[in-house]
Amino acid sequence: MAMWVFGYGSLIWKTGFPFDDRLPGFIKGYRRVFHQGSTDHRGTPEFPGRTVTLEPANGEICWGVAYKITNEQDKRDALTHLEVREKQYDQKEYLDFFTDSNDSEPAVTGVMVYIASPDKKSNNNYLGPAPLEDIAKQIVKAEGPSGPNRDYLFHLEEALVELGFKDKHVTDLAAQVRLILSETQELSNDVAANHV
């Protein structure tokens, strides 16, 4: 029996475990949102970054990539890697995965998906929804052991574009972050010009 894992965040561009096949596609009934606090990768406990999780959403789909792992040792290695990497994600779901929007039957059933739930008891890093501008400001400032939070967002945006997928939340947020960065750059240029 093959094990399948669905990646909708950094797993799209940075896998970190061996796999036999990689299928672009989507799951139904969820949307990708930047509601999860990252205190171990893209932020710190003092200043968490924001990473994606999934929230149930009727009629919506979330594009990403499913990885197929068949070798028993590879499965163990993948699970060991994922349990550490996704330790702030408190739920595992097994969902249907589709590769074509016209298909009524899933390409794969029982794809494993890590989800950070809004339950503060089991997920104390859940940050929840906020205005786009506030999320963008937080992403601009946050940095953790895996690097700046903005790199996570930009890599995700780029990976989705490369796959030909559109995600309005991701592109709107990336545009907002770029705007803040350009305004900050202009400000520091003005300050530097005034000190010449």
Side-chain angles (χ1 to χ4, degrees):
M1 276 285 287
M3 178 174 103
W4 287 84
V5 180
F6 180 67
Y8 58 91
S10 61
L11 279 178
I12 296 175
W13 75 86
K14 186 181 176 191
T15 319
F17 54 82
F19 58 88
D20 303 299
D21 201 3
R22 177 182 191 264
L23 282 184
F26 61 90
I27 55 170
K28 293 180 176 179
Y30 286 90
R31 75 169 146 242
R32 182 180 4 244
V33 288
F34 275 81
H35 292 179
Q36 177 65 2
S38 175
T39 58
D40 60 344
H41 288 300
R42 296 293 179 169
T44 61
E46 300 73 41
F47 200 91
R50 275 187 179 258
T51 54
V52 289
T53 184
L54 295 173
E55 71 175 14
N58 279 340
E60 299 235 5
I61 62 172
C62 177
W63 289 94
V65 176
Y67 296 97
K68 179 184 187 182
I69 307 149
T70 47
N71 178 286
E72 288 306 316
Q73 185 57 51
D74 288 349
K75 286 183 199 175
R76 285 191 290 276
D77 292 347
L79 277 173
T80 303
H81 173 78
L82 288 166
E83 290 300 319
V84 172
R85 179 173 173 165
E86 310 293 340
K87 67 178 183 279
Q88 295 189 341
Y89 287 65
D90 59 316
Q91 268 183 13
K92 255 194 270 199
E93 298 287 339
Y94 294 87
L95 304 171
D96 288 342
F97 174 79
F98 299 82
T99 53
D100 190 311
S101 37
N102 299 319
D103 288 350
S104 55
E105 290 299 310
V108 184
T109 54
V111 173
M112 184 170 65
V113 185
Y114 285 85
I115 299 174
S117 80
D119 181 350
K120 286 286 203 177
K121 283 193 189 81
S122 58
N123 177 15
N124 57 7
N125 285 316
Y126 183 75
L127 296 173
L132 190 74
E133 208 169 277
D134 293 354
I135 294 176
K137 284 177 185 163
Q138 189 171 357
I139 287 173
V140 166
K141 288 183 185 158
E143 191 162 341
S146 297
N149 199 177
R150 70 185 79 151
D151 288 356
Y152 172 92
L153 169 62
F154 294 151
H155 285 314
L156 178 56
E157 179 191 35
E158 192 180 309
L160 290 169
V161 167
E162 279 173 15
L163 290 166
F165 304 151
K166 285 190 169 47
D167 187 313
K168 190 172 166 12
H169 181 56
V170 174
T171 49
D172 288 355
L173 194 51
Q176 187 65 42
V177 166
R178 283 192 188 92
L179 180 67
I180 294 168
L181 290 170
S182 70
E183 286 168 353
T184 312
Q185 187 60 46
E186 283 168 25
L187 251 167
S188 59
N189 288 346
D190 290 348
V191 169
N194 291 333
H195 282 84
V196 172

